[in-house]
Amino acid sequence: MANTKQAKKRVRQSEKHRAQNASMRSMLRTYIKKVVAAIATGNEKTAVDSMKEATPVIDRMATKGIIHKNNAARQKSRLTQRIKKLAATSGAAA
């Protein structure tokens, strides 16, 4: 256990930051799951709308350091690829 006043304060701060980061990470995952769910249903419009909501959240998490910027770029790229693939298959079926 921390002995000094400064160390005790750092423990409190670290716990507060950990809880906040966990909340932000959870929110990020929820937005990504919404996009994935929309893609799974095959509804292109819903998928695109969900992606528009998720993109700034993903970018914000990278800016805040919750995830690495390359991780954010990879997430956005993979989701965009899946939406384009969905659009291509629904466009061919129509």
Side-chain angles (χ1 to χ4, degrees):
M1 181 60 200
N3 290 325
T4 64
K5 190 174 181 181
Q6 175 187 356
K8 289 176 183 175
K9 180 178 179 180
R10 288 303 296 172
V11 168
R12 287 194 310 270
Q13 288 177 330
S14 294
E15 179 57 30
K16 193 174 183 181
H17 290 143
R18 187 193 66 75
Q20 182 67 22
N21 289 342
S23 173
M24 300 280 241
R25 226 180 342 268
S26 175
M27 180 184 70
L28 171 67
R29 289 183 185 132
T30 302
Y31 274 96
I32 291 172
K33 285 177 188 174
K34 285 181 185 177
V35 178
V36 171
I39 292 168
T41 61
N43 190 340
E44 182 187 349
K45 181 167 178 7
T46 308
V48 171
D49 290 343
S50 298
M51 185 65 184
K52 283 182 182 176
E53 288 180 14
T55 301
V57 174
I58 294 171
D59 289 335
R60 200 172 320 121
M61 294 307 118
T63 302
K64 289 179 180 284
I66 305 299
I67 60 173
H68 194 275
K69 65 176 187 165
N70 290 356
N71 184 345
R74 184 177 64 245
Q75 293 283 356
K76 291 188 298 183
S77 175
R78 287 181 178 173
L79 291 172
T80 303
Q81 282 177 340
R82 290 176 69 176
I83 290 173
K84 284 184 178 181
K85 188 175 179 183
L86 174 68
T89 57
S90 66

